[in-house]
Amino acid sequence: MIDVKECLSACEEKMQMSVMYLEDSLSHIRAGKANVHILDAIRINSYGSMVPLNNVSAITTPDQRTIAIKPWDKSMFKAIEKAIIDSNVGIMPESNGEIIRLCIPPLTEDRRKQIAKECNKEAENAKVGVRNARREGIDKLKKAIKDGLSEDLEKDAEADLQKAHDKYMKAIDELLAKKEKEIMTV
């Protein structure tokens, strides 16, 4: 016989992971404001190994439209600029010998709508993950009835699972609304 609490906590953990994944995905989507997370995927060849950009430089946002990258080693300037140009960030770096600047251009209305659609797709993927976790939990509980779990316990556990599902769906909707507001704000 399965432990109902263990089953519920495993399902809730999967739901939470879906929300955390969405949060991470949305943080990497450029919304017209300077955000250092858009550079997280960039890797630099530093002394023979590929390392994240933030391991070889200090990355700051001095204002809403600028990202400043200050390499710790001056010899890394060309490698950092090349990595940014080759990446899918889509912004041309400007260098003055001390700091590399990325000026974030304002988004057009069409681009804002396109980015909002991308965010909706990410949110829908997270919702699917939450629904799948709920379905898996319900399936485990139904099988547990055959192993001797009482139907009352199963119904109570199913109700708890639904409450967790609703909680995480609401969290996904809140994250999406916050990101859409950020994207649509000029």
Short mmCIF file of all heavy atoms in Angstrom, two decimals, residues 44 46 51-58 70-73 76 80:
data_model
loop_
_atom_site.label_atom_id
_atom_site.label_comp_id
_atom_site.label_asym_id
_atom_site.label_seq_id
_atom_site.Cartn_x
_atom_site.Cartn_y
_atom_site.Cartn_z
N ILE A 44 32.00 31.69 -22.66
CA ILE A 44 33.23 32.31 -23.13
C ILE A 44 34.36 31.29 -23.01
O ILE A 44 34.45 30.59 -22.02
CB ILE A 44 33.59 33.55 -22.27
CG1 ILE A 44 32.40 34.50 -22.13
CG2 ILE A 44 34.80 34.27 -22.83
CD1 ILE A 44 31.90 35.09 -23.40
N SER A 46 37.63 30.65 -21.85
CA SER A 46 38.55 31.27 -20.91
C SER A 46 39.62 30.25 -20.53
O SER A 46 39.34 29.29 -19.82
CB SER A 46 37.80 31.74 -19.67
OG SER A 46 38.69 32.21 -18.70
N VAL A 51 33.21 28.83 -20.10
CA VAL A 51 32.61 29.23 -18.83
C VAL A 51 31.52 30.26 -19.07
O VAL A 51 31.53 30.96 -20.08
CB VAL A 51 33.69 29.80 -17.86
CG1 VAL A 51 34.69 28.74 -17.48
CG2 VAL A 51 34.37 31.01 -18.45
N PRO A 52 30.55 30.38 -18.15
CA PRO A 52 29.52 31.41 -18.30
C PRO A 52 30.12 32.81 -18.27
O PRO A 52 31.16 33.04 -17.64
CB PRO A 52 28.61 31.20 -17.09
CG PRO A 52 28.91 29.81 -16.61
CD PRO A 52 30.32 29.53 -16.99
N LEU A 53 29.47 33.72 -18.95
CA LEU A 53 29.95 35.11 -19.04
C LEU A 53 30.13 35.73 -17.66
O LEU A 53 31.10 36.46 -17.43
CB LEU A 53 28.96 35.94 -19.87
CG LEU A 53 29.25 37.42 -20.04
CD1 LEU A 53 30.61 37.63 -20.71
CD2 LEU A 53 28.17 38.09 -20.87
N ASN A 54 29.23 35.42 -16.72
CA ASN A 54 29.34 36.05 -15.40
C ASN A 54 30.50 35.49 -14.57
O ASN A 54 30.79 36.00 -13.50
CB ASN A 54 28.03 35.95 -14.63
CG ASN A 54 27.58 34.53 -14.39
OD1 ASN A 54 28.27 33.58 -14.76
ND2 ASN A 54 26.42 34.39 -13.80
N ASN A 55 31.22 34.45 -15.07
CA ASN A 55 32.40 33.95 -14.38
C ASN A 55 33.66 34.70 -14.76
O ASN A 55 34.69 34.56 -14.10
CB ASN A 55 32.62 32.46 -14.67
CG ASN A 55 31.65 31.57 -13.93
OD1 ASN A 55 30.69 32.05 -13.34
ND2 ASN A 55 31.90 30.28 -13.97
N VAL A 56 33.62 35.46 -15.86
CA VAL A 56 34.81 36.20 -16.31
C VAL A 56 34.61 37.71 -16.30
O VAL A 56 35.48 38.46 -16.71
CB VAL A 56 35.24 35.75 -17.74
CG1 VAL A 56 35.68 34.31 -17.73
CG2 VAL A 56 34.14 35.98 -18.75
N SER A 57 33.43 38.16 -15.82
CA SER A 57 33.16 39.59 -15.82
C SER A 57 32.09 39.96 -14.80
O SER A 57 31.36 39.10 -14.32
CB SER A 57 32.70 40.03 -17.21
OG SER A 57 31.50 39.38 -17.55
N ALA A 58 32.04 41.25 -14.50
CA ALA A 58 30.98 41.78 -13.65
C ALA A 58 29.90 42.32 -14.58
O ALA A 58 30.19 43.12 -15.48
CB ALA A 58 31.52 42.88 -12.76
N LYS A 70 31.90 44.36 -17.41
CA LYS A 70 33.27 44.75 -17.14
C LYS A 70 34.11 43.49 -16.91
O LYS A 70 34.06 42.89 -15.85
CB LYS A 70 33.34 45.66 -15.91
CG LYS A 70 34.72 46.19 -15.66
CD LYS A 70 34.72 47.25 -14.60
CE LYS A 70 36.15 47.59 -14.30
NZ LYS A 70 36.53 48.90 -14.52
N PRO A 71 34.87 43.08 -17.95
CA PRO A 71 35.70 41.88 -17.82
C PRO A 71 36.79 42.07 -16.76
O PRO A 71 37.34 43.16 -16.62
CB PRO A 71 36.32 41.71 -19.20
CG PRO A 71 35.50 42.56 -20.11
CD PRO A 71 34.95 43.66 -19.29
N TRP A 72 37.08 40.99 -16.04
CA TRP A 72 38.13 41.06 -15.03
C TRP A 72 39.50 41.00 -15.68
O TRP A 72 40.46 41.52 -15.15
CB TRP A 72 37.95 39.94 -14.01
CG TRP A 72 36.72 40.10 -13.21
CD1 TRP A 72 36.25 41.27 -12.66
CD2 TRP A 72 35.76 39.12 -12.88
NE1 TRP A 72 35.06 41.05 -12.01
CE2 TRP A 72 34.74 39.73 -12.12
CE3 TRP A 72 35.65 37.76 -13.14
CZ2 TRP A 72 33.64 39.05 -11.63
CZ3 TRP A 72 34.57 37.07 -12.65
CH2 TRP A 72 33.58 37.72 -11.90
N ASP A 73 39.57 40.37 -16.84
CA ASP A 73 40.83 40.24 -17.57
C ASP A 73 40.66 41.01 -18.89
O ASP A 73 39.79 40.69 -19.69
CB ASP A 73 41.12 38.76 -17.82
CG ASP A 73 42.45 38.53 -18.50
OD1 ASP A 73 43.13 39.52 -18.84
OD2 ASP A 73 42.80 37.36 -18.70
N MET A 76 40.09 39.44 -22.37
CA MET A 76 38.83 38.76 -22.68
C MET A 76 37.87 39.61 -23.51
O MET A 76 36.83 39.11 -23.94
CB MET A 76 38.13 38.34 -21.38
CG MET A 76 38.91 37.35 -20.53
SD MET A 76 39.27 35.83 -21.36
CE MET A 76 37.65 35.15 -21.52
N ILE A 80 34.59 38.06 -25.44
CA ILE A 80 33.25 38.38 -24.93
C ILE A 80 32.40 39.01 -26.03
O ILE A 80 31.25 38.63 -26.24
CB ILE A 80 33.34 39.29 -23.69
CG1 ILE A 80 33.93 38.50 -22.51
CG2 ILE A 80 31.97 39.87 -23.33
CD1 ILE A 80 34.22 39.35 -21.29
#
